[in-house]
Amino acid sequence: MDNKTITPVAMAAMAVAGLSQASTKIPAPPVLDSRATSNTPPYPPASDVAEQAATRFLDFVAGLSSTADITQAGMERAFDSPLNEVRPGTYLAKRAVSEGWTYTVAYRAPKMDTKPGFALRFYNKDLTADPTPVCVMDLDRIRSALIPRGFREWMEPMMIGGLSSWNFEKGGLVAMILSKDLSTDSHDRECVLLVKTRDSPSLQLNRHGEDSEMAIATMAAWAREEREGWAAAGLATASDQTTQEVSAKPVMLQAPARAETAEQIVAQFLSFVAGVNGTADITQDTVEETFRVKLIRNNQDSYYALHPLTDPGSWRYSLGYQPPSATTKPGVTLGFFNDVPSADPAPVCVMDLERFRSALIPHGFKEWTEPEHHGGISSWNFEKGDLVVMILSTDFSTDSHGRECVLLVRTRDLK
C-alpha cells in the first residue's frame, strides 16, 4: 500500500492554533512499480488541499482522549474553518479539492442517546472518478497516526465472510472505516474516502453481552439516529448502519506469537477435526491449544481470533469458536480473508474438496451433498457422529492458476 509525501502546505497546516500537539507520522514516499523505468514518470501527486485535510484530521483525532474531547470549537480550530449547522446538532464545512472532488468535515453534537461524533469524507458526484487527487489516507497511515497515541485496532467481520469495518478505539471513542469506504485509484493504491465515529453507545452495550429485546431495540434506535444524522450531513447512505452492524461482533486484532502460513493453519485445522469424535470434543481450550491463539469474546455467544499470515498478499486467517447453548452445539470456523475483495487467493489456495476427503474420510467421516432448489449443489458436508463439517458453494474461489480454493469452512452448529 502506497503512502504520500507531506507537502510544505501540509507542514504549515500542522502549526495552526488549536491543533493537537500530536505529530502525525507521515509514511515514506510510495515505491514505484518494479516495472517502471527511468523514463517512467512518477505517479501524479494528490492535491495539496486533500493532504492538508488528512494531516489536520489525523492530528486532531490522535490528540483526543475520549468522545468528550470532541467539540465544535475544537474541530473549527483544527481545520481553521467555521462549521455551519445543516440540521439541529449537525455542523458541516466543505471545500473543493480538484477534478470534481471535495472534502467535507462534520461534527455531531451529543444528545441524550448519542455521543459527540465527527467525520471526514472525500466525495465526487461522478462515482467512477479516479480518486488519485484525494488518495491521501490508507489504513497503514491511519494506524501509524493513531496506534502510537493509545488507540487499539479491531476489525468487524461480515456475516458472509470478509471484513465489514476497521475500528480504532480509545476511551469510548471509536473511529470507523467501513469496507465500502475504501477505494483504489488508477495506480492500484488503497484510498480511504470516509472516516467517521461510532456515535451511539451500542457497541459498548453489545460488548457486555446485553442481548435482551429491550437492549436490541435501544441499539437499533441509536443506530437509526446516528444514520439519519450523518445522512443529513451527506456523509452516509442508508446502508451504513444495518441491523447487522447494530448487533456488531467486534474482533480484536491480536499479534500472533509467531508468523504462520496458510498451509500450517489448514494442516492444524484438518488434524484437529480428524481427531474429533463428536462436537463435545470441541471446546475453547482445545481450539486455543491447537492453534496457539487466544480467542476473544465477541459477545456471550461466540469467540474469534484474526491473525495475519506470512503469505504474500495481505491475507489473514480468522478462527471462530461457538460454545454450546440450548439450541446450538459447539462449533468451529476457519476462513481466509483479504482487505481487497478482488485479491488473488493463490497464497491461501491450500484447501479443496479432495484434500478434505483424504483428510477426513479415512477417520470415519461420511460425505454427503445438499442440493440447491434451482439445481446444483448448495453444500458439501462431512459427518461423523453429531459433528458435520460444511463447505458452502459460496465459500469457493478460483485463483489465478485456475485452482479450486476453499476459503471458508465451518461446522453445522444447530442441534
Side-chain angles (χ1 to χ4, degrees), residues 55-392:
T55 300
R56 288 176 179 241
F57 176 74
L58 291 175
D59 274 327
F60 170 74
V61 178
L64 299 173
S65 297
S66 67
T67 54
D69 295 338
I70 305 172
T71 65
Q72 179 184 352
M75 293 196 69
E76 289 179 335
R77 287 194 300 269
F79 285 87
D80 193 24
S81 175
L83 303 179
N84 300 312
E85 192 170 32
V86 294
R87 63 166 279 178
T90 301
Y91 301 82
L92 194 69
K94 291 184 178 181
R95 183 173 177 183
V97 179
S98 65
E99 300 179 36
W101 287 93
T102 63
Y103 83 77
T104 303
V105 59
Y107 163 74
R108 289 197 62 214
K111 294 184 179 181
M112 181 181 301
D113 52 6
T114 58
K115 302 178 292 184
F118 59 72
L120 173 68
R121 184 192 192 192
F122 295 102
Y123 176 73
N124 196 311
K125 291 182 179 180
D126 180 2
L127 300 181
T128 64
D130 178 12
T132 291
V134 294
C135 196
V136 290
M137 287 193 297
D138 60 14
L139 289 170
D140 278 346
R141 180 172 181 179
I142 293 172
R143 290 181 182 115
S144 67
L146 301 185
I147 291 177
R149 300 289 294 178
F151 285 79
R152 295 183 302 162
E153 180 183 4
W154 53 268
M155 301 175 187
E156 187 172 60
M158 292 180 179
M159 298 297 289
I160 57 174
L163 296 175
S164 170
S165 66
W166 290 259
N167 303 268
F168 298 87
E169 182 175 8
K170 179 182 179 182
L173 165 66
V174 181
M176 173 176 65
I177 301 104
L178 295 175
S179 59
K180 71 181 188 61
D181 297 326
L182 288 172
S183 183
T184 304
D185 73 359
S186 56
H187 311 291
D188 293 327
R189 293 178 293 187
E190 174 187 83
C191 317
V192 174
L193 299 183
L194 174 61
V195 183
K196 62 183 178 180
T197 48
R198 287 180 181 260
D199 304 335
S200 77
S202 59
L203 176 64
Q204 284 69 31
L205 280 176
N206 190 59
R207 280 185 167 181
H208 288 86
E210 300 181 15
D211 293 331
S212 67
E213 291 183 5
M214 181 176 294
I216 293 174
T218 301
M219 288 188 278
W222 282 329
R224 183 169 58 253
E225 165 62 24
E226 184 176 333
R227 178 173 66 248
E228 292 172 353
W230 285 130
L235 292 169
T237 65
S239 63
D240 278 356
Q241 294 290 333
T242 64
T243 303
Q244 176 182 332
E245 287 189 10
V246 171
S247 58
K249 299 179 179 179
V251 176
M252 300 299 295
L253 183 63
Q254 298 273 316
R258 63 179 180 81
E260 294 172 292
T261 67
E263 174 58 38
Q264 289 173 319
I265 296 302
V266 168
Q268 289 175 334
F269 181 82
L270 291 176
S271 176
F272 171 75
V273 173
V276 169
N277 293 314
T279 57
D281 294 340
I282 302 175
T283 67
Q284 181 178 351
D285 287 342
T286 57
V287 172
E288 289 181 334
E289 290 171 3
T290 299
F291 290 88
R292 291 166 293 171
V293 298
K294 178 63 178 176
L295 298 176
I296 303 301
R297 182 177 180 176
N298 293 322
N299 57 24
Q300 64 184 10
D301 295 324
S302 59
Y303 296 77
Y304 278 85
L306 186 66
H307 291 280
L309 293 164
T310 57
D311 308 278
S314 300
W315 284 91
R316 299 176 175 88
Y317 80 87
S318 173
L319 184 68
Y321 165 69
Q322 176 81 27
S325 70
T327 57
T328 60
K329 301 177 294 184
V332 65
T333 303
L334 174 68
F336 295 108
F337 304 109
N338 196 301
D339 299 350
V340 180
S342 61
D344 179 10
V348 294
C349 194
V350 292
M351 290 192 291
D352 60 15
L353 286 172
E354 287 305 319
R355 181 165 188 180
F356 276 94
R357 292 181 179 118
S358 62
L360 301 183
I361 291 177
H363 285 83
F365 284 80
K366 297 184 300 179
E367 180 182 359
W368 54 271
T369 57
E370 191 169 38
E372 293 181 338
H373 292 299
H374 53 78
I377 296 177
S378 171
S379 66
W380 286 258
N381 303 268
F382 298 87
E383 184 173 7
K384 179 182 178 182
D386 69 336
L387 171 64
V388 180
V389 179
M390 175 176 64
I391 302 149
L392 297 176

